[in-house]
Amino acid sequence: EEELKQAVTATYVPLRDVVINEYYQGEMRSDNTHYEEIPTNRGTAYLEKEAITDFQDVSLNVYTNNVFYNCFLGISRANIVLDHMDDAPRLSEDARKSMIGQVKFLRAFYYFKLVRYYGGVPLHLKEVTSTNEAFLPRSSADEVYNQILEDAKEAVSLLAPPAKFPQTGEVTKGSATMLLAEIYLWQKKYAEAEALLKTLPEMGYELLPDYASVFSTGNKNSRESIFEVQYQEGLQGGQQSNFIYHFIPRSNNTTIITGVNTNNSTLGGYNVPTEDLLSAYESGDKRKAASIAVAEGTYNASYIFTYSANLEIDNYTPVEGKTYVPYTKKYLNPHANPTNTDDNWPIYRYAEALLFMAEVLNEQNKPAEALTYLNPIRQRAGLSEITETNQALLREIIIKERRIELAFESKRWLDLVRTGKAKDVMTAYG
């Protein structure tokens, strides 16, 4: 049983490499974020990241391929676990159900990621034990979706709700419910998604009172968390996160922002909030200051930023001769060592479940009921309630609310694709 548990844990590990590469496709490709260009350094690592943002990536782009590769690494490990379950005949039934449910969720999650970014992909459902088995032709997108649905449904049936809060970080019935609901949402099966989403409150999930606290490392795996990728700060190696060092400006000294001195000039300058996103926030929205801050400083000839101050996004006076760069603040928490943070990456939050509910109800022409799920999100943000009940207008309001609530969580590009808005929005943005 312990050996199988280790194999199940190994199936989670590629999630870390998926999310640290996905923001290039999930956020920077959208109208939410961009990058700091370094005109003096046109190395491949910079060009390939910029190419994704600028719709110029090709099949050899490492950062596009990293999401593909690591999803298949997770799928491979899931298949190994499933194919070896019978090698542990003394495994308890509860442990068997939990392990199968977890890896079925993970296999569905990885394939759901793949099919939305890459279309039909090879459908591996067994452990690869020979060269011939490693090279399968692409399946159709419909075939991939059919398998995703089968795995997600089984995960829902096998897994238990969270036993306590904070949670352990393992997949639960709530995680699988959210995944299956999102799959139905992509397929426009709104009634099916609604039925699933309405089971989540009884599992103990709820909004935290304060938006900023959701992303505090003191609230990891909280009641608002339905699933998040686990990281652990420390010198044990390989388990720490470092998102904030990607998202702040490139500098020889990061102390003013992070409290820790390091040189992130080869790592930072990505997921930079756009003016388009900044202007989308309503006046008084608490989520803006919780998600974005401004670095004040100057650039040198090598395009390295020297900080002079760290400023609140809504409360600073520009000084002549200084440069002001907004940066993604959502993952900024105290830590002791450079590029070694304790932040988890959110995959599903209860706030998104409420936004899903608002969307599926509105799409079934139940806008008044949809508002009962939308407005708690706005109330927490310090904003007035929405009263609009015109279905078309409310649809736009809900999508905008997703943009703000879930900013920098790698949701925006896929939302634009799912809602058919990618071409129009990105053409206008461009």
Side-chain angles (χ1 to χ4, degrees):
E1 182 170 331
E2 287 305 311
E3 290 174 347
L4 269 175
K5 282 182 178 178
Q6 290 180 44
V8 172
T9 299
T11 310
Y12 285 85
V13 172
L15 289 169
R16 292 176 179 156
D17 288 314
V18 170
V19 299
I20 199 60
N21 286 283
E22 188 187 5
Y23 72 81
Y24 302 117
Q25 293 166 263
E27 287 285 3
M28 283 174 48
R29 178 161 256 171
S30 79
D31 51 347
N32 270 8
T33 65
H34 206 65
Y35 57 84
E36 288 182 82
E37 185 181 20
I38 308 182
T40 57
N41 190 333
R42 299 288 75 205
T44 301
Y46 301 117
L47 291 174
E48 289 194 342
K49 294 172 184 176
E50 294 172 8
I52 297 173
T53 308
D54 298 335
F55 295 90
Q56 295 175 339
D57 51 326
V58 296
S59 62
L60 297 179
N61 187 303
V62 169
Y63 300 95
T64 304
N65 290 344
N66 278 344
V67 174
F68 187 91
Y69 169 79
N70 285 293
C71 282
F72 270 113
L73 180 60
I75 289 163
S76 172
R77 293 178 179 182
N79 290 337
I80 291 170
V81 173
L82 292 170
D83 284 0
H84 286 273
M85 290 300 298
D86 292 338
D87 294 346
R90 295 191 300 275
L91 195 64
S92 71
E93 188 58 25
D94 285 347
R96 182 180 297 276
K97 285 182 178 179
S98 175
M99 291 183 190
I100 293 175
Q102 288 178 68
V103 294
K104 288 280 181 131
F105 167 92
L106 289 167
R107 187 167 72 177
F109 179 86
Y110 289 126
Y111 266 124
F112 190 39
K113 193 75 70 181
L114 287 167
V115 76
R116 288 178 295 169
Y117 280 126
Y118 307 103
V121 293
L123 200 54
H124 287 274
L125 303 176
K126 294 289 183 182
E127 179 185 3
V128 172
T129 59
S130 70
T131 304
N132 289 339
E133 293 171 352
F135 294 94
L136 299 182
R138 292 175 68 166
S139 298
S140 69
D142 286 343
E143 289 170 329
V144 177
Y145 267 108
N146 288 339
Q147 184 61 47
I148 293 168
L149 280 169
E150 182 180 322
D151 281 351
K153 287 176 182 177
E154 188 169 359
V156 170
S157 70
L158 291 173
L159 291 168
K164 62 179 181 177
F165 295 92
Q167 303 162 75
T168 64
E170 289 184 346
V171 170
T172 66
K173 182 183 288 288
S175 315
T177 297
M178 192 70 170
L179 172 63
L180 184 54
E182 187 179 20
I183 296 166
Y184 283 141
L185 187 62
W186 272 76
Q187 297 183 325
K188 303 187 187 304
K189 296 178 179 178
Y190 302 120
E192 290 90 335
E194 177 189 348
L196 283 163
L197 292 165
K198 283 187 172 178
T199 68
L200 290 172
E202 65 194 37
M203 299 185 201
Y205 299 111
E206 60 185 32
L207 293 180
L208 296 188
D210 176 58
Y211 181 80
S213 71
V214 175
F215 307 98
S216 166
T217 49
N219 287 323
K220 293 166 66 165
N221 303 306
S222 70
R223 287 188 176 273
E224 183 158 338
S225 172
I226 298 178
F227 184 54
E228 56 191 66
V229 180
Q230 305 295 304
Y231 293 86
Q232 185 177 43
E233 178 185 4
L235 302 178
Q236 71 278 7
Q239 296 182 35
Q240 71 275 8
S241 54
N242 67 350
F243 316 127
I244 192 63
Y245 289 92
H246 287 240
F247 300 158
I248 60 178
R250 300 179 177 92
S251 177
N252 290 326
N253 186 335
T254 61
T255 303
I256 285 180
I257 301 294
T258 67
V260 179
N261 180 12
T262 193
N263 183 334
N264 78 323
S265 59
T266 61
L267 186 66
Y270 296 101
N271 230 17
V272 179
T274 63
E275 290 294 330
D276 192 87
L277 175 62
L278 293 175
S279 65
Y281 283 88
E282 296 173 52
S283 177
D285 192 329
K286 296 177 182 178
R287 294 171 295 189
K288 188 176 184 182
S291 302
I292 305 169
V294 175
E296 176 192 273
T298 57
Y299 283 104
N300 63 21
S302 298
Y303 216 71
I304 301 299
F305 197 71
T306 300
Y307 295 104
S308 56
N310 183 36
L311 307 169
E312 290 290 331
I313 183 69
D314 287 324
N315 186 27
Y316 68 97
T317 303
V319 176
E320 187 175 353
K322 296 288 186 180
T323 298
Y324 299 89
V325 182
Y327 69 88
T328 301
K329 176 189 175 185
K330 188 176 271 190
Y331 307 100
L332 177 59
N333 280 289
H335 54 281
N337 295 292
T339 66
N340 192 318
T341 63
D342 201 44
D343 296 77
N344 286 355
W345 187 272
I347 299 294
Y348 290 128
R349 297 193 284 116
Y350 188 61
E352 186 172 18
L354 295 179
L355 290 168
F356 277 166
M357 274 297 294
E359 186 172 346
V360 300
L361 288 166
N362 187 55
E363 294 303 325
Q364 295 176 85
N365 204 25
K366 296 187 275 190
E369 188 179 352
L371 293 177
T372 65
Y373 292 91
L374 176 65
N375 281 324
I377 302 289
R378 295 193 41 95
Q379 289 167 350
R380 181 173 71 172
L383 300 175
S384 60
E385 293 189 358
I386 298 295
T387 58
E388 181 61 63
T389 55
N390 176 280
Q391 185 188 47
L393 295 177
L394 184 55
R395 181 182 295 122
E396 298 302 316
I397 291 170
I398 292 169
I399 292 300
K400 181 183 177 183
E401 204 65 39
R402 282 185 60 83
R403 183 186 189 187
I404 300 300
E405 176 71 25
L406 304 171
F408 319 122
E409 298 177 38
S410 297
K411 304 282 185 177
R412 178 61 173 170
W413 170 252
L414 291 175
D415 272 355
L416 292 176
V417 173
R418 177 174 62 82
T419 57
K421 294 181 175 296
K423 184 177 179 180
D424 289 345
V425 168
M426 296 309 298
T427 297
Y429 168 75

